């Protein structure tokens, strides 16, 4: 994601401390860390384990369980393409495959220039406008090949 | 001043509602017209989104689907006074799609400003809670039980019994948890109610908390719904400012707080015990039951977990009484079901109706058949873990028991329509693949069964020992169905078995498509 801050232990500790008053604070902390740094760095996982008083292995288990959390820097832009049944009923799978092939990517991959990451998502709740996608948090209904190409071009700018 | 409504609903936004609202405001300013734009929820006629509604003395006149390029011509046609235009659909309340429904849970959705407490109250909001305060907690639980309301999340468990179990636990810390992890393909009712009428969900939680003796409620929302998160957080703050949340609510002596939590893309967290683990900050791995979450739930405390729709229906049940609700529906399926019509369908959207309407009527008459114009071949009902229903079963009524009798399920009320180009062996493979991707890994039938399922279907699709592998697949499905800990592994066989049962020819094609 663009505008991500450089990682520092100090900033990570601040973010963690800001959430310690919550019941079960791990998920809100992970979201906040990813929002700040664009991913969840290993060093932050270590800080979290200490703050929450659990083992690093346990904390690692939590971070890796969820599809949304990245362990390494991601593309500056993220395109999530739905490949659930409703979108498949409108040809999403074939369309997404062609798009990925054109970019020489597989699901979860990032373009070599670091501009765009393409992820699979399983339902955006836009099933009456299938196929659908989410570009940097903006929902898009009735996506076609042309729209996907435009997004890829825009991401590079 | 003319009042206009342009939805903030995620589906409307995905079709350009934000840009449309900006363009309308700009055009009005340029023409010197004073207007007020209310960002409402969707009326459910999603094929008409973005739908602009204009308030006129005759009622709200709709124009849709409206694009930015239509804005100038709408003003030219005098749409601010309900003028004629190609996009004019007439009075929205009189539209046939609206007239055929019985809106109970969705009665306010798309009608009111979702973030206005005053409008919510003007449309009977908080009347249910006020009545709850009058009759007391014990009577509230009785009322919910008598209504016959069953959990709308998919399992269909009686809501009243769940509440009573928690209410009967000794006093102390208890929780109300709302499952807003609506991950099923073809479903969007939770999203729509949280965007279009969020206060009804908050009121439902308040009534629940009051009835069972809980002072804290959590909503676990999936991360795929960014607009819901914004609208709902704003709704919480609005309710707090108006004194409908927090300490000593409206002088009742009842304290209740609500907190919104966001998931992180794990489908299994829609399973109630996984959801609790995730809320506690752990991996979203299912817990074996018993103990039930009603006894040992969030942070080990007694917890009510309800789906968004179940909770949002409670205020109306409390307001109008259990009998009013129970009188709707068929058999043991009481009340209404908000059906979500999706996939390859002409008129996709949200259609709330009493239980008992035949499936074929929903697909062909309400939904208008396929969008592609080709014949309907299959409808997956109840999400990715639901069965594929063939056209030959279209007289099946929407009723939990009727569907169960045909090895199918209603689930959360989502219907995904497929035309005759669908490859059912591929869809069966996808069902297994989805289960493999999303399995939490705790139990063997789900974790290994789904991966072996993908491999076996690949062999069948490539024409390898087809008969033996179909037998193996059936056996595998049986093991997953009866050996898995939760609904993910337990229900994943439904799409596979139904595809095998109703569309056997798709599993015996010559091995031409192996390159898929």
């Amino acid at each position: 994601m663009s505008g991500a801050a450089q990682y520092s232990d100090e900033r990570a500790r601040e973010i963690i401390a800001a959430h310690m008053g919550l019941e079960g604070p791990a998920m809100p902390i992970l979201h906040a860390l990813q929002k700040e740094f664009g991913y969840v760095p290993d060093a932050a996982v270590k800080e979290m384990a200490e703050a929450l008083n659990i083992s690093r292995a346990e904390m690692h288990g939590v971070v890796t369980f969820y599809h949304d959390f990245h362990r390494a820097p991601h593309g500056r832009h993220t395109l999530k393409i739905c490949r659930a049944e409703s979108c498949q009923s409108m040809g999403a799978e074939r369309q997404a495959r062609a798009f990925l092939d054109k970019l020489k990517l597989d699901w979860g991959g990032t373009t070599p220039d670091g501009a765009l990451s393409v992820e699979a998502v399983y339902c955006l709740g836009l099933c009456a406008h299938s196929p659908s996608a989410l570009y940097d948090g903006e929902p898009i209904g009735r996506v076609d090949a042309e729209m996907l190409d435009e997004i890829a071009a825009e991401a590079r700018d | 001043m003319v009042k206009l409504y342009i939805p903030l609903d995620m589906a409307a936004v995905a079709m350009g509602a934000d840009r449309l609202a900006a363009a309308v405001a700009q055009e009005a300013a340029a023409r010197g017209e004073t207007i007020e734009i209310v960002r409402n929820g969707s009326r459910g006629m999603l094929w008409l989104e973005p739908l602009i509604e204009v308030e006129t003395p005759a009622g709200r006149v709709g124009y849709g689907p409206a694009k930015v390029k239509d804005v100038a011509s709408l003003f030219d046609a005098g749409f601010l006074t309900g003028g004629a235009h190609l996009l004019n659909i007439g009075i929205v309340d009189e539209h046939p799609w609206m007239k055929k429904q019985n809106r109970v849970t969705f009665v306010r959705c798309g009608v009111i400003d979702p973030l206005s407490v005053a409008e919510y109250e003007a449309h009977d909001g908080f009347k249910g809670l006020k009545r709850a305060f009058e009759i007391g907690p014990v009577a509230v639980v009785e009322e919910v039980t008598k209504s016959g309301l069953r959990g709308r999340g998919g399992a269909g468990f009686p809501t009243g019994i769940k509440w009573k179990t928690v209410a009967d636990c000794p006093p102390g810390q208890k929780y109300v948890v709302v499952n807003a992890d609506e991950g099923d393909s073809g479903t969007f009712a939770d999203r729509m109610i949280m965007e279009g009428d969020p206060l009804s969900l908050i009121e439902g939680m308040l009534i629940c908390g009051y009835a069972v003796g809980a002072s804290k409620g959590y909503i676990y929302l999936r991360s795929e719904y960014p607009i819901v998160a914004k609208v709902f957080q704003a709704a919480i703050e609005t309710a707090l400012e108006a004194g409908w949340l927090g300490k000593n609510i409206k002088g009742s002596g009842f304290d209740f707080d609500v907190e919104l939590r966001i998931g992180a893309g794990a489908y299994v967290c829609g399973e109630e015990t996984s959801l609790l683990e995730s809320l506690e900050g752990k991996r979203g791995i299912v817990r074996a039951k018993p103990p039930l979450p009603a006894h040992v739930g969030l942070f080990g405390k007694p917890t009510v977990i309800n789906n968004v729709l179940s909770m949002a229906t409670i205020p109306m049940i409390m307001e109008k009484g259990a009998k009013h609700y129970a009188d709707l529906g068929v058999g043991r399926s009481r009340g209404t079901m908000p059906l979500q019509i999706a996939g390859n369908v002409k008129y996709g959207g949200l259609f709330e109706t009493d239980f008992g309407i035949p499936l074929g009527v929903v697909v062909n008459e309400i939904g208008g058949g396929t969008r592609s114009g080709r014949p309907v071949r299959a409808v997956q009902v109840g999400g990715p873990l639901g069965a594929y229903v063939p056209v030959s079963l279209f007289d099946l009524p929407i009723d939990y028991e009727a569907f169960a009798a045909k090895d199918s399920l209603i689930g959360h009320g989502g219907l995904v329509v497929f035309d005759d180009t669908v490859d059912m062996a591929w869809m069966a493979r996808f069902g297994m693949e989805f289960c493999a991707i999303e399995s939490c890994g705790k139990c063997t039938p789900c974790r290994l069964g789904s991966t072996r399922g993908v491999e076996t279907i690949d062999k069948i699709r490539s024409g390898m020992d087809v008969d033996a592998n179909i037998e193996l697949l059936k056996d595998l499905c049986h093991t997953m169905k009866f050996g898995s800990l939760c609904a993910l592994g337990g229900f994943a066989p439904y799409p596979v078995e139904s595809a095998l049962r109703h569309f056997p020819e798709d599993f015996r094609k010559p091995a031409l498509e192996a390159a898929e």
Side-chain angles (χ1 to χ4, degrees):
Chain A
M1 206 71 64
S2 50
Q6 193 67 34
Y7 178 77
S8 82
D9 283 344
E10 194 188 343
R11 182 73 191 114
R13 278 195 284 265
E14 272 173 30
I15 290 169
I16 294 165
H19 294 85
M20 289 305 282
L22 300 174
E23 294 179 306
M27 296 288 280
I29 293 172
L30 286 168
H31 278 299
L33 289 170
Q34 181 148 304
K35 193 173 174 207
E36 179 85 6
F37 306 119
Y39 70 112
V40 182
D42 285 338
V45 174
K46 180 173 163 273
E47 295 293 339
M48 270 187 86
E50 276 169 27
L52 299 175
N53 197 24
I54 59 174
S55 73
R56 279 168 69 181
E58 216 170 326
M59 200 59 241
H60 175 87
V62 175
V63 183
T64 53
F65 182 84
Y66 297 96
H67 299 306
D68 282 359
F69 300 130
H70 313 304
R71 310 302 317 287
H74 217 49
R76 290 190 296 281
H77 302 277
T78 304
L79 176 65
K80 298 186 178 193
I81 301 177
C82 181
R83 57 179 305 228
E85 285 83 351
S86 176
C87 287
Q88 289 210 30
S89 78
M90 291 300 287
E93 190 74 0
R94 210 171 289 263
Q95 179 174 288
R97 197 67 255 169
F99 178 66
L100 287 167
D101 287 348
K102 206 186 286 181
L103 294 181
K104 299 191 177 65
L105 290 182
D106 206 345
W107 291 113
T110 301
T111 52
D113 58 359
L116 182 68
S117 294
V118 184
E119 293 175 8
V121 64
Y122 296 89
C123 198
L124 293 165
L126 305 173
C127 319
H129 297 116
S130 294
S132 64
L134 194 68
Y135 178 60
D136 287 345
E138 186 199 334
I140 310 165
R142 301 231 163 98
V143 174
D144 59 26
E146 199 183 325
M147 289 156 89
L148 291 175
D149 288 342
E150 276 170 26
I151 288 168
E154 195 194 301
R156 273 192 292 272
D157 292 340
Chain B
M1 184 161 68
V2 182
K3 206 168 179 180
L4 300 179
Y5 294 84
I6 300 176
L8 50 66
D9 176 278
M10 187 164 157
V13 171
M15 296 308 286
D18 285 352
R19 288 189 300 276
L20 180 70
V24 169
Q26 201 181 3
E27 188 74 21
R31 294 183 186 230
E33 302 272 8
T34 38
I35 60 165
E36 181 198 351
I37 299 176
V38 175
R39 300 303 301 270
N40 57 335
S42 172
R43 293 280 205 137
M45 297 183 286
L46 290 171
W47 77 95
L48 289 175
E49 294 294 1
L51 173 70
I52 305 179
E53 288 180 72
V54 181
E55 204 160 77
T56 76
R60 277 157 68 164
V61 179
Y63 296 84
K67 302 240 172 270
V68 170
K69 66 175 168 56
D70 301 316
V71 170
S73 74
L74 282 166
F75 275 93
D76 290 343
F79 88 127
L80 292 181
T81 51
H85 188 279
L86 267 178
L87 301 178
N88 187 325
I89 62 155
I91 304 288
V92 175
D93 284 327
E94 302 297 323
H95 192 282
W97 170 278
M98 297 301 293
K99 294 283 274 186
K100 281 183 202 159
Q101 298 186 57
N102 182 14
R103 291 205 155 208
V104 172
T105 308
F106 278 80
V107 68
R108 279 177 294 257
C109 189
V111 177
I112 63 167
D113 176 348
L115 295 175
S116 163
V117 172
E119 277 196 33
Y120 182 69
E121 291 190 69
H123 286 80
D124 299 326
F126 293 119
K127 279 189 182 167
L129 179 63
K130 285 178 196 159
R131 180 161 169 254
F133 286 157
E134 279 162 28
I135 64 177
V138 177
V140 172
V141 174
E142 267 171 35
E143 195 79 2
V144 173
T145 307
K146 277 191 211 150
S147 75
L149 177 69
R150 292 164 71 172
R152 294 293 188 259
F157 189 82
T159 305
I161 294 178
K162 216 181 238 186
W163 286 25
K164 184 159 189 345
T165 312
V166 177
D168 286 347
C169 290
Q173 179 75 64
K174 297 177 185 177
Y175 293 100
V176 174
V177 172
V178 171
N179 183 346
D181 196 40
E182 178 181 60
D184 286 357
S185 172
T187 64
F188 39 81
D190 293 356
R191 176 180 70 64
M192 282 180 60
I193 206 84
M194 289 181 75
E195 287 166 347
D197 191 18
L199 293 168
S200 68
L201 178 57
I202 292 176
E203 185 183 353
M205 293 177 77
L206 283 160
I207 294 169
C208 179
Y210 175 72
V212 305
S215 60
K216 178 83 196 240
Y218 285 98
I219 291 142
Y220 187 90
L221 174 70
R222 64 201 303 259
S223 63
E224 289 85 346
Y225 286 174
I227 296 175
V228 177
K230 267 186 235 159
V231 176
F232 202 81
Q233 190 58 47
I236 291 173
E237 279 148 32
T238 309
L240 206 55
E241 273 167 34
W244 286 108
L245 280 176
K247 294 264 175 248
N248 189 20
I249 292 162
K250 298 288 169 185
S252 62
F254 172 58
D255 304 337
F256 197 78
D257 284 311
V258 163
E259 196 177 319
L260 179 67
R261 287 288 175 90
I262 312 293
Y267 176 79
V268 74
C269 291
E271 199 285 329
E272 61 180 15
T273 61
S274 299
L275 188 154
L276 294 177
E277 292 284 306
S278 187
L279 268 178
E280 290 178 4
K282 302 174 195 158
R283 298 158 74 193
I285 288 181
V286 297
R287 296 178 187 169
K289 290 188 276 194
L292 296 170
H295 290 127
V296 183
L298 187 62
F299 304 113
K301 305 294 182 193
T303 302
V304 172
I305 308 180
N306 277 153
N307 168 260
V308 170
L309 293 186
S310 328
M311 206 60 109
T313 306
I314 295 288
M316 175 272 170
I317 291 173
M318 288 311 300
E319 178 206 333
K320 297 201 169 156
K323 189 175 179 306
H324 178 89
Y325 193 75
D327 282 349
L328 309 171
V330 289
R332 284 170 50 215
S333 301
R334 309 314 312 168
T336 59
M337 188 73 193
L339 297 170
Q340 298 127 83
I341 308 170
N344 190 341
V345 70
K346 205 165 170 190
Y347 304 123
L350 184 128
F351 188 90
E352 183 171 356
T353 181
D354 297 3
F355 279 101
I357 188 173
L359 176 62
V361 171
V362 179
V363 173
N364 290 321
E365 290 176 28
I366 314 292
T370 64
R371 184 170 156 80
S372 62
R374 301 183 64 93
V376 176
R377 182 148 186 249
V379 182
Q380 189 178 30
V381 186
L385 310 177
Y388 287 97
V389 182
V391 176
S392 59
L393 290 178
F394 265 20
D395 54 356
L396 207 56
I398 301 288
D399 165 9
Y400 290 108
E401 278 69 36
F403 264 67
K406 296 283 178 199
D407 268 332
S408 306
L409 37 122
I410 294 176
H412 191 36
L415 283 69
V416 176
V417 181
F418 291 82
D419 72 11
D420 62 349
T421 60
V422 66
D423 173 354
M424 294 308 299
W426 168 262
M427 295 316 296
R429 183 198 191 276
F430 179 77
M432 281 291 190
E433 184 191 359
F434 180 72
C435 183
I437 293 169
E438 297 298 336
S439 176
C440 85
K442 181 159 180 166
C443 71
T444 317
C446 173
R447 184 181 67 244
L448 296 185
S450 52
T451 299
R452 295 290 170 256
V454 172
E455 291 167 4
T456 309
I457 298 175
D458 279 345
K459 285 179 190 163
I460 295 167
R461 291 183 79 233
S462 67
M464 192 192 294
D465 296 332
V466 173
D467 290 315
N469 277 312
I470 285 178
E471 277 316 300
L472 182 64
L473 182 61
K474 286 180 180 167
D475 190 48
L476 192 58
C477 284
H478 186 267
T479 305
M480 288 176 71
K481 214 167 175 174
F482 297 101
S484 297
L485 264 180
C486 83
L488 178 52
F491 285 16
Y494 278 92
V496 181
E497 288 177 332
S498 58
L500 274 169
R501 188 164 60 245
H502 300 301
F503 308 94
E505 62 277 18
D506 285 21
F507 292 81
R508 293 176 187 280
K509 281 186 188 163
L512 293 174
E513 294 162 49
E516 180 82 61

